Amino acid sequence: MRIFLAKRVFTLVLTLLVATLVVFVVLEILPGDPAAVMLGINAETDTLNALREELGLNRPVWVRYTHWVGDLITGNLGISYTYDVPVSELILDRITVSFPLALLAMTLSTLIAIPLGVMAASNHNKPMDFLVMSFSQIGIAIPNFWFAMLLTLLFSVTLRLLPAGGFAGWDAGIVPVLKSFLLPTIALALPQAAILARVTRSALLEVLQEDFIRTARAKGVTNQGILWKHALRNALIPVVTIMGLQFSFLLAGTIIIENVFYLPGIGRLIFQAISQRDLIVVKNLVILLSAAVIMINFMVDLLYAFIDPRLKGGGDV
């Protein structure tokens, strides 16, 4: 187990370092002067020089990179040019919206997808299987932003049951917050549930052909027992892989949905930072979202070892 953890931690640290290098190099090779991009083409020379000095653009490239990585390690993300507040404060304020939204969407997606995938696999080539696969195909095909607008038209404009957008704020209480989150959660969760249900079905169908399943049937284990106690756990590795990727997407890729529902989350912040040319916020947000994706994948790797103890010996998934 120690060898397994050591290999995963080494991979985690190396991947984080590579991610910082990629983000830094990409921003370095972008055409134009970052200070001019942030201030606009009509900025005065003295103002440009002052901003270059503030951003450290006059230093050698390797000094800027090591200084930036050191600041990341210590939690110093700099000051937003647009908002004139620490970037860390902006992120902490917005993550209280994006993280609960992603968690709710992932929970709803899992609660829908796993039972549907099990039902489809247990009724292979039957009407239930056809219905689940039809739902899956439709869910994959529909863009989530279009689905979000349909939900808004139905529940906010026509039925007037839920707010069309905005965030009530945590001080307003749990009920107004849940009302603010409900439509975005559904818009994010159902397309992901469609994918997860399909993966669950495929993984279960493959496991159900294994020899140990035939042995369990020969011993008189019921179909439900075989599905939920034997087959599902052995089918979980591809399912958990997709869940990890989906949660990464939900946390880092909610820009469109947060803008559709006007939610003050991470997605909307990075959209505003790009449009306002606040490169300090963009750079640090991108690396932090990359780090979040890497950390989620690391936790998924650890979960693999719990699902399949054979992997603790150091074998690859």
Side-chain angles (χ1 to χ4, degrees), residues 163-279:
F167 180 61
W170 292 103
D171 295 337
I174 190 65
V175 174
V177 167
L178 288 177
K179 284 184 177 180
S180 300
F181 279 157
L182 187 55
L183 292 183
T185 297
I186 295 172
L188 286 168
L190 289 189
Q192 301 304 314
I195 298 171
L196 191 58
R198 199 177 192 92
V199 171
T200 303
R201 171 188 177 272
S202 298
L204 272 174
L205 287 176
E206 184 176 345
V207 171
L208 287 172
Q209 305 302 316
E210 298 288 341
D211 291 338
F212 74 92
I213 296 295
R214 285 192 285 270
T215 302
R217 286 200 177 100
K219 291 181 177 180
V221 180
T222 63
N223 287 334
Q224 293 300 314
I226 288 173
L227 277 171
W228 293 99
K229 293 182 180 180
H230 297 279
L232 185 58
R233 177 166 182 172
N234 286 275
L236 277 182
I237 285 185
V239 174
V240 168
T241 302
I242 296 299
M243 289 174 65
L245 293 173
Q246 287 185 336
F247 189 73
S248 301
F249 164 78
L250 291 172
L251 187 60
T254 59
I255 297 176
I256 295 176
I257 293 299
E258 287 185 357
N259 278 279
V260 169
F261 290 101
Y262 209 76
L263 292 173
I266 292 293
R268 185 164 177 79
L269 176 61
I270 196 169
F271 175 80
Q272 292 171 332
I274 293 171
S275 61
Q276 294 163 346
R277 299 175 294 189
D278 196 341
L279 298 184

Side-chain angles (χ1 to χ4, degrees), residues 50-69:
L51 184 58
R52 289 191 191 102
E53 184 66 31
E54 181 184 343
L55 298 178
L57 297 177
N58 298 326
R59 303 174 185 173
V61 173
W62 68 270
V63 173
R64 297 204 303 273
Y65 173 72
T66 54
H67 187 266
W68 177 52
V69 172

Side-chain angles (χ1 to χ4, degrees), residues 1-58:
M1 183 63 179
R2 273 184 263 182
I3 296 174
F4 175 82
L5 283 174
K7 288 175 65 177
R8 292 304 187 265
V9 170
F10 175 77
T11 303
L12 170 70
V13 173
L14 183 61
T15 307
L16 286 172
L17 284 174
V18 171
T20 61
L21 187 60
V22 169
V23 171
F24 183 82
V25 169
V26 168
L27 290 177
E28 281 293 314
I29 64 176
L30 286 176
D33 181 2
V37 171
M38 295 173 70
L39 293 174
I41 58 175
N42 297 320
E44 298 290 338
T45 303
D46 292 343
T47 308
L48 285 171
N49 290 334
L51 184 58
R52 289 191 191 102
E53 184 66 31
E54 181 184 343
L55 298 178
L57 297 177
N58 298 326

Side-chain angles (χ1 to χ4, degrees), residues 36-201:
V37 171
M38 295 173 70
L39 293 174
I41 58 175
N42 297 320
E44 298 290 338
T45 303
D46 292 343
T47 308
L48 285 171
N49 290 334
L51 184 58
R52 289 191 191 102
E53 184 66 31
E54 181 184 343
L55 298 178
L57 297 177
N58 298 326
R59 303 174 185 173
V61 173
W62 68 270
V63 173
R64 297 204 303 273
Y65 173 72
T66 54
H67 187 266
W68 177 52
V69 172
D71 284 344
L72 286 174
I73 294 172
T74 59
N76 179 18
L77 304 183
I79 305 296
S80 166
Y81 176 75
T82 302
Y83 299 99
D84 196 29
V85 297
V87 176
S88 56
E89 289 185 13
L90 284 175
I91 294 173
L92 288 174
D93 183 54
R94 303 300 184 96
I95 199 69
T96 58
V97 175
S98 292
F99 184 78
L101 176 61
L103 194 60
L104 284 171
M106 191 72 250
T107 302
L108 180 59
S109 172
T110 304
L111 291 176
I112 293 172
I114 300 298
L116 285 180
V118 172
M119 283 192 293
S122 61
N123 294 277
H124 186 43
N125 290 331
K126 294 181 181 178
M128 178 57 70
D129 187 19
F130 174 77
L131 287 174
V132 172
M133 287 300 96
S134 298
F135 159 77
S136 174
Q137 196 63 40
I138 293 170
I140 293 171
I142 295 178
N144 58 6
F145 69 89
W146 184 75
F147 185 46
M149 290 188 286
L150 288 183
L151 290 173
T152 303
L153 287 173
L154 176 61
F155 292 102
S156 301
V157 178
T158 304
L159 301 178
R160 299 181 181 276
L161 295 175
L162 295 167
F167 180 61
W170 292 103
D171 295 337
I174 190 65
V175 174
V177 167
L178 288 177
K179 284 184 177 180
S180 300
F181 279 157
L182 187 55
L183 292 183
T185 297
I186 295 172
L188 286 168
L190 289 189
Q192 301 304 314
I195 298 171
L196 191 58
R198 199 177 192 92
V199 171
T200 303
R201 171 188 177 272

